[in-house]
Amino acid sequence: MVMDTGVRFSASVIEAMRHDIQEAGGNEVFWAGMLNADAMVVSVRVGARGTGHEVLVHNALVRELSGDMRQLDGKTHAAAQVLIHNHPSGLLEPSGADMGVAASALENSIGFYIVNNDVSDVYVVTEPVMPRKLVPLDEKDTVSLLAAGGPLSVRNPHYEERPSQLALLSAVCRAFNGAKVGVFEAGTGVGKSYAYLVPAMLWAAQNRERVVVSTGTINLQQQLLEKDIPAAAAVTGKKIKAVLVKGRQNYVCLRRLAQASDERDMFSDETEVLDRIFSWAQTSGTGSRSDLSFMPPEAVWSRVNSESDACFGMRCPHRERCFVMKVRKEASDANLIVVNHHLLFADIESRLSGTGYDDTAVLPPYRRLVFDEAHGIEDSATSFFSESISRFKVTKQVNLLYRQRHGTISGFLVQLLALSKNCDATGQNAAAAVSALKDAVLYLDETALSLLQGNWTERLHGASSGQFSQVLAALETVRAGLGTFTALVRDVLDGIDEDDRDVPAVWESKSVLRRLEGMLSLCRNFLLWNEHEDTVFWIQKQRINARTPGDSPVTYVQFFQTPLDIAPLMNRGVFEPMSTVVCTSATLRTGTDFSYWLRRTGASFVEPGRMLTGEFASPFNYEENVLFAVTSDAPAPTSPLFQDYVEQAVPRLIRAASGRTLMLFTSYESLWHTFAACRSSPLCSDFTLLKQGDDDRFRLLEHFKADVESVLFATDSFWEGVDVPGESLSQVVIAKLPFTVPNDPVFAARSEAVEKRGGSSFMELSVPEAVIKFRQGFGRLVRRGSDRGVVVALDNRLVEKSYGRIFTASVPRTQWLHGPLSQVVCAVENFLKN
C-alpha cells in the first residue's frame, strides 16, 4: 500500500533520509527506524549503503532492534521499530529479496517500509507490531481494597487492618507496574497470599495478561484454590478464572488405560487394581490421581498415566474425553494458573530447549510470575534438573519392551517385530541383548554397593576417582549394553511402514526408547565426569521395604548427576525473560539481608535498577507470646555425650509442656534413639508419642492436631509446611542446628566451588542454609495471632559461637532465656501456665 510519507514519518526524519540518500549518490540505503506510540517514525539511523539496485541488510542491526523489543517488553513506554530502504527507480513494489527481508523482520515484530528517493511516498510491506499499552495498577486504589473501610473489611467480620500486608501489596504493585523482580520476605500472619493475589488478579483482568503462581507444597495450592483465590477475587470485584495445573503424569491416559486392560496378563496379581482404576475413570470428572479413593501401586499407575512422549494428540481416539486436554483448554484462557515449582521448571526447561516464551510449552505463554514459598526454589530446581539411573529404572523400561515370564515373551517389541521389515533374527538378538543388559546392571549395582560398604553416599571427583575404577568399568558395560539394545529397537522401528506408525505399540516404544537413550546419555556423562565441571556426579544407597512380612528389605544404588549451580540457569530461564517476577516467603533473609538467597537462585544477576527487595514483619506479638530458650549446659553437638543429654532433656521438656510438642531433629538416628528414650520414660507415659515414618505425613499431622497432648518426633521435611495453630503445638524443641552434613555430595561439591574462588564455604553456604532452615523450624510455633508457646534449642552454639548471632538475629524478637536445663524446664512450665 503506497501512501504519503507525511502519514508515517516526521518532517525531520524525511529531511534526514533525503540527506542520507543524497550522500549515497542516490543509491539504495538501509535504515532502522524508531516509532512513537502513534506509529510515526521519529528517528532513523543508517545501517548500510548500496548500489542503484541493491543494498546489504544489516543483520546485526536487525538483531539489535529485536533485542531492544525484548528489553522493553511489558513496559508502557515500549517503542516499536521498522526497517526502511529506498528504491531509486521510484517503483515501490517489493522484490523477492524484499519479501524475504520483510518475513524475517516480521518474525521479530519489526515492520518493513520502502520509500522513493524523494521520500515522498512509502510502501508499507509489513506493519510493525506495536506494543500494547499496558494499564498500570493504581497503587492507592489497589491498597484500599484490603485497607480499613475497603471490601475485605466489609466482608470479614473479624477484620483487622495489617499495615505490613498493605505495604507488601504496594510493593507487589510496583513490581507489576515497573516490570521488576520483587524479593519480599513476609512474616507469618502478614497475609502475603492476598497481598500478591489482589494485584495479580487486577493486572491480569485489565491487561489480559496471564499470571502464574508457583508454590512449593500441595497444602498451599489447596489453600489458594479453595480459599484465598475465591476470597481475593470477590474483593477485587473481577471475574477471575483460576486453574490448578498438575504435571500430566498425575492424570490417567484413557488410551493407555484401555490398552493395559487388553493386556491384563502383564499385570498378574494387580488386575484388581487396574479394574478399579478403569471403573473410576469412566465417571471421573478430572482423571487426577489425587481424586482416587485408593493409592494404586506405582508400577500400575506408570502404565496408565499420561506421558508426553506417548501422547497421540489429535490422532488419539480418546481425545474428546482426554483429561490432560481438558486441563490445557481450561488453562488456555485462565487469568491465573497455579502450579508447583517442579511443573514450573518443566515448563522453563521446555522453553529453554527451543519452545520459546511466546508459545505454549507445558503451560500457556506467560510473562508475569509469582513464586510463593520462594525459599525452596534452589532445592526444587536442583531436584528437577538432576537425573538418575538405577538397576530398577533400567529393568523397568527394558521389561516394557521385552519380557520373558513363565515361558512367554511379551512387550512392545514383540508387537513391533510383527510390523517391521527389519525383523530377521531380531527376536533372538533381543533376548541376548536384554539378558546381557540385565546382567550388567545387576553387576553394576553389586559393584557400587561394595564401594559404598557402610556409607550411604559417595561423590565421584578427583580424590575418589581411584575408588570408582571398578564401578566405572561396570558402568561402561551397562553403557555398551544400553547402546546395543537401543540400536536394536531403533532398527526395528525404522523398518515399520509409515502407515503403521500410529499403532499404539509404536508410540509407546518410542517413549520407552527416549527414556533408555536418556539413561545412555547419563552413563556417558558419568564416564566422562572430569569433562563436566558444572555437574556433580554421585551415588546413593536406596532401600525398598519388604513386600511381605519376613522378607528382607532390598538395597540398591542410584547414580545421580546434579547441576553444581542453578543460578545461571534460573537467570536465563526466569529472571531475564519474564517481565515481572515476585518472590515471597517468610524466610528469605539470613541475618539482615537477602544476599545468600539472591546469589543461590540467580536473582543476583538482575540489574540493580530492576530489583525490589523488602522485609514485611509479622503482626504477631512475639515479645509477649513467645519464649525462646537455649540450654546452657548441653555438651557440644559433636560430643559423644550430646545424644545422652538430648534423651534426658526431651522427656522433661515434654512433661513441662504437657505434651503439645513438635520435636525437630537433623538425623533419623537421633530421632529414633530419643523417641525410644521417651517411650520408656515415665515422664511421657501420659502423652501420645508420634514418630515420622509411622504413618503418611497427612495422617500424622491430623492426629497431632486432634490429640492436644500428643508429641510429634520429626526431621527433614517437617521443619517446614507444618501448620498446627492452637494448643496442640505449644512447644517446638530443636535438638541441633540444622547444618547440612559436610559429606552430602552436592553440598560438598558446592562448598569446594566456594573455597576455590577464595570464599569461606562455612560462612557463605553452611551457615546461611542452616539459618533459613532454622527459621522455618522456629516458624512452626506461631501460626495465628492468639498462639502462645516456647521454642527450646538444645544447641549452645547459638550463644557460644559468633555465627550464632546470625541465627538469633534472623528470628523475631521474643522473651529470651539462656540457662541450664532445669531452669529452662521451669520456665517452660510457668510460661505455658500463664
Side-chain angles (χ1 to χ4, degrees):
M1 179 174 66
V2 178
M3 63 179 69
D4 187 282
T5 51
V7 178
R8 294 282 179 140
F9 296 79
S10 69
S12 61
V13 167
I14 293 173
E15 287 302 316
M17 293 174 67
R18 286 172 178 167
H19 181 263
D20 293 336
I21 293 171
Q22 186 178 359
E23 278 197 337
N27 291 317
E28 292 197 13
V29 180
F30 168 79
W31 296 271
M34 188 72 73
L35 283 72
N36 64 12
D38 298 320
M40 181 78 72
V41 180
V42 292
S43 68
V44 292
R45 56 176 165 148
V46 175
R49 299 172 183 85
T51 68
H53 305 288
E54 60 184 1
V55 65
L56 292 173
V57 176
H58 198 320
N59 287 326
L61 190 58
V62 174
R63 286 194 297 271
E64 185 180 333
L65 287 179
S66 62
D68 288 343
M69 272 299 282
R70 285 193 297 273
Q71 183 182 358
L72 293 168
D73 176 64
K75 299 181 182 178
T76 55
H77 61 271
Q81 295 85 18
V82 62
L83 302 180
I84 311 161
H85 91 101
N86 61 310
H87 279 186
S89 66
L91 299 175
L92 304 189
E93 183 175 333
S95 65
D98 289 332
M99 294 302 289
V101 174
S104 177
L106 189 60
E107 288 181 0
N108 293 291
S109 302
I110 299 172
F112 186 58
Y113 298 171
I114 301 173
V115 299
N116 58 6
N117 270 20
D118 193 42
V119 198
S120 57
D121 295 327
V122 57
Y123 186 97
V124 178
V125 183
T126 56
E127 295 280 2
V129 177
M130 298 297 293
R132 289 186 298 110
K133 291 184 178 180
L134 298 174
V135 181
L137 298 170
D138 186 304
E139 191 175 324
K140 184 177 179 181
D141 288 349
T142 306
V143 169
S144 71
L145 296 176
L146 300 187
L152 180 62
S153 66
V154 173
R155 296 175 60 88
N156 186 352
H158 304 293
Y159 172 85
E160 289 183 9
E161 187 172 87
R162 303 179 188 181
S164 53
Q165 182 185 57
L166 303 183
L168 173 58
L169 188 150
S170 291
V172 174
C173 286
R174 292 194 293 275
F176 274 94
N177 286 341
K180 306 281 189 182
V181 173
V183 179
F184 306 130
E185 182 175 285
T188 306
V190 166
K192 67 179 185 297
S193 58
Y194 279 73
Y196 66 70
L197 284 174
V198 168
M201 289 175 173
L202 291 174
W203 182 274
Q206 65 194 34
N207 289 298
R208 291 182 296 170
E209 280 198 342
R210 185 178 293 107
V211 179
V212 171
V213 176
S214 181
T215 76
T217 62
I218 294 173
N219 287 346
L220 182 55
Q221 287 182 0
Q222 290 174 334
Q223 176 186 318
L224 290 174
L225 267 294
E226 297 170 9
K227 179 183 175 186
D228 294 348
I229 288 175
V235 166
T236 65
K238 303 290 185 181
K239 187 175 181 181
I240 300 296
K241 181 176 181 180
V243 174
L244 171 64
V245 178
K246 304 176 186 177
R248 67 186 305 145
Q249 70 277 6
N250 290 285
Y251 300 93
V252 69
C253 171
L254 295 172
R255 180 190 62 78
R256 299 187 80 207
L257 180 60
Q259 182 181 350
S261 296
D262 293 339
E263 300 170 350
R264 299 165 65 85
D265 59 304
M266 294 183 66
F267 288 85
S268 61
D269 298 334
E270 293 169 336
T271 54
E272 182 182 347
V273 176
L274 184 64
D275 289 340
R276 292 180 68 185
I277 296 175
F278 189 89
S279 176
W280 161 80
Q282 306 313 305
T283 57
S284 174
T286 65
S288 173
R289 184 181 188 178
S290 62
D291 291 342
L292 279 165
S293 59
F294 61 98
M295 185 61 68
E298 186 60 34
V300 177
W301 182 255
S302 64
R303 285 295 312 276
V304 300
N305 68 336
S306 178
E307 292 186 341
S308 56
D309 289 344
C311 181
F312 278 30
M314 295 309 294
R315 292 186 296 275
C316 181
H318 300 275
R319 63 184 180 276
E320 297 299 327
R321 291 188 57 223
C322 176
F323 297 113
V324 172
M325 285 190 176
K326 282 181 183 178
V327 172
R328 287 194 164 186
K329 185 177 180 182
E330 288 295 306
S332 66
D333 62 349
N335 307 100
L336 207 65
I337 294 178
V338 179
V339 299
N340 63 21
H341 295 338
H342 191 276
L343 185 64
L344 179 82
F345 291 132
D347 180 77
I348 296 299
E349 179 185 49
S350 177
R351 296 186 187 283
L352 287 173
S353 299
T355 303
Y357 286 79
D358 297 322
D359 298 312
T360 295
V362 176
L363 301 173
Y366 57 96
R367 293 280 182 165
R368 313 280 170 175
L369 173 63
V370 176
F371 279 109
D372 201 343
E373 300 177 313
H375 62 275
I377 287 177
E378 184 187 13
D379 286 346
S380 295
T382 298
S383 173
F384 176 81
F385 290 105
S386 294
E387 297 177 52
S388 68
I389 185 175
S390 70
R391 69 179 171 103
F392 288 111
K393 289 185 77 169
V394 174
T395 302
K396 175 184 175 183
Q397 298 305 316
V398 170
N399 284 344
L400 290 173
L401 290 170
Y402 190 90
R403 181 179 184 181
Q404 285 184 301
R405 186 174 183 179
H406 305 311
T408 302
I409 299 174
S410 59
F412 299 126
L413 187 58
V414 176
Q415 300 173 54
L416 298 187
L417 289 171
L419 301 171
S420 178
K421 299 170 185 175
N422 303 334
C423 61
D424 295 341
T426 299
Q428 186 175 349
N429 292 341
V434 168
S435 178
L437 180 54
K438 288 184 176 180
D439 286 345
V441 293
L442 183 59
Y443 178 69
L444 173 64
D445 198 58
E446 292 170 348
T447 307
L449 283 170
S450 177
L451 166 65
L452 287 169
Q453 295 183 352
N455 299 323
W456 277 89
T457 63
E458 189 67 57
R459 176 166 64 105
L460 172 58
H461 61 121
S464 68
S465 56
Q467 303 170 43
F468 270 86
S469 57
Q470 288 186 320
V471 172
L472 293 178
L475 189 62
E476 168 57 29
T477 305
V478 171
R479 184 208 61 77
L482 277 169
T484 299
F485 184 61
T486 54
L488 182 151
V489 177
R490 180 72 65 188
D491 184 57
V492 173
L493 285 168
D494 290 343
I496 296 175
D497 289 338
E498 194 68 36
D499 292 343
D500 292 325
R501 294 287 173 98
D502 283 345
V503 172
V506 174
W507 282 76
E508 294 284 359
S509 297
K510 287 181 178 179
S511 176
V512 175
L513 185 61
R514 287 189 191 98
R515 294 190 207 107
L516 288 173
E517 287 175 339
M519 296 177 190
L520 180 59
S521 176
L522 191 152
C523 288
R524 291 195 192 103
N525 291 344
F526 238 96
L527 293 166
L528 300 173
W529 62 270
N530 55 350
E531 296 181 10
H532 298 273
E533 293 184 355
D534 59 349
T535 305
V536 186
F537 296 94
W538 53 291
I539 61 176
Q540 183 177 55
K541 278 184 194 173
Q542 306 286 352
R543 179 171 289 171
I544 301 175
N545 292 329
R547 285 192 172 189
T548 56
D551 289 349
S552 300
V554 177
T555 303
Y556 65 99
V557 177
Q558 202 159 3
F559 290 67
F560 292 91
Q561 65 174 30
T562 298
L564 179 64
D565 184 4
I566 59 97
L569 186 150
M570 283 289 294
N571 181 54
R572 192 171 71 252
V574 176
F575 296 115
E576 275 189 357
M578 294 296 160
S579 297
T580 297
V581 184
V582 172
C583 306
T584 183
S585 168
T587 54
L588 296 178
R589 292 177 304 113
T590 52
T592 57
D593 62 61
F594 296 91
S595 57
Y596 169 76
W597 186 90
L598 294 174
R599 190 171 62 250
R600 299 305 306 171
T601 60
S604 58
F605 290 111
V606 176
E607 309 85 11
R610 192 175 167 237
M611 173 66 70
L612 298 175
T613 60
E615 176 195 352
F616 304 89
S618 169
F620 297 157
N621 190 347
Y622 282 85
E623 286 196 75
E624 182 177 325
N625 293 330
V626 176
L627 169 65
F628 181 16
V630 179
T631 56
S632 61
D633 53 356
T638 54
S639 166
L641 302 175
F642 180 75
Q643 180 60 36
D644 288 338
Y645 178 86
V646 172
E647 292 174 21
Q648 293 170 28
V650 170
R652 296 175 65 183
L653 290 167
I654 289 172
R655 167 60 65 179
S658 300
R660 304 183 295 174
T661 299
L662 173 64
M663 278 296 316
L664 293 176
F665 296 87
T666 57
S667 76
Y668 284 98
E669 184 179 10
S670 180
L671 183 157
W672 277 86
H673 285 300
T674 308
F675 180 82
C678 291
R679 190 169 50 184
S680 60
S681 171
L683 294 174
C684 298
S685 59
D686 295 335
F687 313 117
T688 304
L689 304 183
L690 307 170
K691 175 169 53 62
Q692 182 178 347
D694 287 346
D695 205 340
D696 70 55
R697 178 188 173 96
F698 176 78
R699 282 194 290 267
L700 210 55
L701 285 174
E702 288 302 303
H703 190 166
F704 182 51
K705 289 178 186 178
D707 187 341
V708 175
E709 294 188 341
S710 62
V711 180
L712 175 57
F713 293 72
T715 184
D716 198 24
S717 63
F718 282 76
W719 283 73
E720 59 180 279
V722 174
D723 189 5
V724 183
E727 281 192 82
S728 291
L729 206 173
S730 296
Q731 177 176 237
V732 173
V733 178
I734 295 173
K736 188 187 292 187
L737 293 181
F739 286 106
T740 301
V741 290
N743 61 354
D744 176 271
V746 177
F747 182 81
R750 289 173 173 173
S751 296
E752 284 180 13
V754 172
E755 297 288 341
K756 280 182 182 179
R757 61 171 172 76
S760 165
S761 60
F762 183 71
M763 293 306 298
E764 293 183 33
L765 199 62
S766 298
V767 170
E769 185 179 275
V771 167
I772 287 181
K773 190 163 186 177
F774 177 80
R775 296 185 67 201
Q776 282 288 327
F778 190 100
R780 297 313 95 209
L781 180 67
V782 177
R783 309 305 299 170
R784 302 292 184 270
S786 58
D787 285 352
R788 178 179 172 84
V790 179
V791 175
V792 178
L794 305 180
D795 193 331
N796 204 27
R797 289 177 295 181
L798 282 167
V799 177
E800 289 185 340
K801 299 295 185 181
S802 59
Y803 59 78
R805 289 193 294 270
I806 303 175
F807 287 83
T808 55
S810 298
V811 297
R813 186 183 296 275
T814 66
Q815 296 184 45
W816 166 259
L817 172 62
H818 179 229
L821 177 62
S822 57
Q823 185 181 356
V824 170
V825 169
C826 289
V828 169
E829 188 172 3
N830 292 333
F831 188 85
L832 294 178
K833 281 181 179 178
N834 294 335

